Amino acid sequence: MKITDGKIFVGGPGKNYVTLKIMTDQGIYGLGDATLNNRETLPAAYLQDYLIPALIGMDPRNSEDIWQFLYRGAYFRRGPIAMAAFGAIDMALWDIKGKLANMPLYQLFGGKSRTGAMVYAHATGSDLADLTDSIAHYVEQGYKAVRVQCGIPGMPTAGYAVPETKGEGKHYITDFSGIRPKTEIWDTGHYMRYMPDALAEIRARFGPDLHILHDVHHRLTPREAAEFAKAVEPVRLFWLEDPTPAEDQDALRLLRQHSTVPIAIGEVFNSVYDCNTLIEAELIDYIRVAVTYAGGITPVKRIVDLAGLHHVRTGFHGAPSHSPLCMAAQAHLNAWAPNFGIQEYLVLGTAECDALFPSNHTMESGMVYVSDAPGLGVDFDETQAARYSYRAGSHPIVRLQDGTMWNY
């Protein structure tokens, strides 16, 4: 069996999904996701110009050797562009492998550890009342876990991932349109004084059973993160996400010394070498890597195995930047992983995505259930793909009130 060609598609409903289709001489094809949010043309070009030509003639069943060929064969290793491209190839090869075996991927990993995987929604609000309405909306839909983000009184802009005006929060997704990034203004003092009490009010309103998650998005220094985590301990968060930038991983020891709040980190990590210290030193409780950004199923499965040895659970990234292909790969890993924790869920279920990426995977009452279709269990409609084209966009940037650049 040989790889004969690979095709790249860039575009999608409201997003620039980068979809790879690998063809073989036996008529079986595999699909993979290389979407690098707001830098989508870069992994697409890497695949088109460098990687696909090198794959022609290789046996797609040798996914391990091909992954080593891609990673070890590149003198300049890692980084989000390369790893997203590798991830798409690896995903597609596993898809082919599952189709050849006539099995869903979770069976190739070792079978199911659970019937369904708990997911969490994003509740947002320009103020606490608006946020409460958004949380109630998801609770009514059956979600058992909700990430909560709230506008901060006195902050010139709303803060991280919240609408600027009241009443837009139920399905709010940050607007990344336009190549010139928008600017958000951040004030740590306002946040530190307001958010612990807001979280306490949310807990009092929704009771002890709702899983409440909160994302700081790298905005605090290590000392500030330790103070904040200690202040919100009574809320009993499911997790506190990205409390401080993870480049200085040793700084998380300070947070551990002051608080027992569960910590989730890793959505921007590209390999096991970004998180092995955090896992082995047990400085985090949930690892947030994504199959696309971290190089594919092959390396992410190794990360999950390492995490399982150190009481760290999975909490895969699932923002709208991941296509249903990436989400399907993670759904299969979630079904298998003995140390599964939770899954971020923002992609599947829209009519446009279902038409472009048809599948029988389902979400019901805050749980995702994988189908028994072979491989990833997701197809790709090229006719639908022709409706979409690339649209440039950028993440916002963050500045302090005096104009100093800060962490997005």
Side-chain angles (χ1 to χ4, degrees):
M1 190 177 194
K2 297 184 184 301
I3 296 172
T4 58
D5 199 5
K7 296 169 68 175
I8 306 295
F9 304 83
V10 182
K15 277 290 174 181
N16 297 313
Y17 297 132
V18 181
T19 303
L20 169 66
K21 185 176 184 179
I22 290 181
M23 282 76 79
T24 70
D25 59 356
Q26 295 186 18
I28 297 174
Y29 59 87
L31 299 169
D33 172 39
T35 308
L36 180 61
N37 198 18
N38 292 308
R39 296 295 183 266
E40 298 91 350
T41 58
L42 301 179
Y46 191 25
L47 283 163
Q48 191 68 58
D49 296 341
Y50 295 96
L51 300 184
I52 291 173
L55 295 176
I56 305 302
M58 289 188 174
D59 187 336
R61 295 170 295 187
N62 295 332
S63 56
E64 179 66 51
D65 182 69
I66 290 174
W67 196 89
Q68 298 294 337
F69 167 82
L70 295 169
Y71 185 83
R72 292 177 182 264
Y75 185 72
F76 298 100
R77 297 180 180 177
R78 300 160 59 187
I81 298 168
M83 295 302 272
F86 300 169
I89 292 170
D90 188 69
M91 213 179 295
L93 299 184
W94 275 95
D95 191 27
I96 291 170
K97 200 187 301 285
K99 291 172 179 175
L100 286 170
N102 197 31
M103 288 183 176
L105 288 190
Y106 69 78
Q107 292 288 13
L108 303 186
F109 302 156
K112 284 186 177 180
S113 295
R114 60 198 49 81
T115 56
M118 182 171 66
V119 300
Y120 68 89
H122 285 198
T124 64
S126 58
D127 56 32
L128 187 55
D130 203 24
L131 173 58
T132 299
D133 288 344
S134 182
I135 297 169
H137 167 78
Y138 288 113
V139 170
E140 289 168 4
Q141 291 185 9
Y143 281 89
K144 304 168 182 65
V146 182
R147 190 192 81 165
V148 300
Q149 307 295 131
C150 186
I152 310 298
M155 198 178 290
T157 56
Y160 169 64
V162 297
E164 295 289 343
T165 58
K166 189 175 177 64
E168 298 179 359
K170 288 187 178 61
H171 302 288
Y172 180 79
I173 296 175
T174 304
D175 180 11
F176 294 146
S177 60
I179 196 64
R180 190 173 182 86
K182 298 178 180 179
T183 299
E184 297 177 358
I185 303 299
W186 179 259
D187 187 297
T188 298
H190 281 91
Y191 173 81
M192 296 277 283
R193 288 188 292 273
Y194 180 77
M195 203 64 211
D197 290 339
L199 290 170
E201 287 192 41
I202 292 167
R203 173 59 74 203
R205 166 68 174 80
F206 290 96
D209 294 331
L210 180 67
H211 297 306
I212 299 173
L213 302 80
H214 179 62
D215 188 356
V216 184
H217 222 254
H218 322 109
R219 301 292 169 88
L220 303 180
T221 66
R223 189 211 60 75
E224 291 165 347
E227 178 185 338
F228 185 84
K230 189 172 182 179
V232 301
E233 274 188 2
V235 178
R236 300 190 66 82
L237 293 176
F238 186 91
W239 79 32
L240 185 66
E241 183 179 346
D242 290 331
T244 190
E247 287 93 338
D248 181 9
Q249 297 187 357
D250 212 42
L252 290 168
R253 298 181 192 277
L254 175 67
L255 198 160
R256 279 295 206 215
Q257 291 166 1
H258 288 273
S259 176
T260 59
V261 170
I263 302 301
I265 285 178
E267 68 183 58
V268 298
F269 289 170
N270 306 132
S271 78
V272 68
Y273 302 110
D274 294 315
C275 56
N276 61 322
T277 299
L278 294 178
I279 291 170
E280 291 166 357
E282 301 180 9
L283 298 178
I284 59 175
D285 301 277
Y286 295 90
I287 181 63
R288 294 270 292 135
V289 292
V291 168
T292 296
Y293 297 163
I297 291 169
T298 296
V300 168
K301 193 172 183 299
R302 292 195 180 100
I303 292 173
V304 174
D305 283 331
L306 176 64
L309 298 176
H310 296 281
H311 318 292
V312 175
R313 296 183 177 184
T314 63
F316 294 136
H317 193 213
S321 51
H322 303 304
S323 88
L325 293 170
C326 176
M327 296 299 287
Q330 294 178 172
H332 283 282
L333 288 166
N334 291 335
W336 154 75
N339 54 324
F340 167 76
I342 200 169
Q343 170 67 58
E344 184 177 21
Y345 183 91
L346 281 178
V347 180
L348 301 178
T350 66
E352 295 84 0
C353 276
D354 288 347
L356 184 60
F357 298 99
S359 81
N360 290 319
H361 304 310
T362 59
M363 200 283 286
E364 182 179 351
S365 297
M367 302 285 286
V368 163
Y369 301 91
V370 293
S371 78
D372 288 328
L376 286 169
V378 180
D379 209 346
F380 179 69
D381 189 327
E382 294 186 35
T383 303
Q384 288 288 325
R387 298 174 52 197
Y388 305 106
S389 59
Y390 171 74
R391 293 185 298 171
S394 290
H395 278 95
I397 62 167
V398 177
R399 293 184 182 274
L400 302 182
Q401 294 205 54
D402 66 358
T404 302
M405 280 294 300
W406 203 240
N407 306 306
Y408 180 78

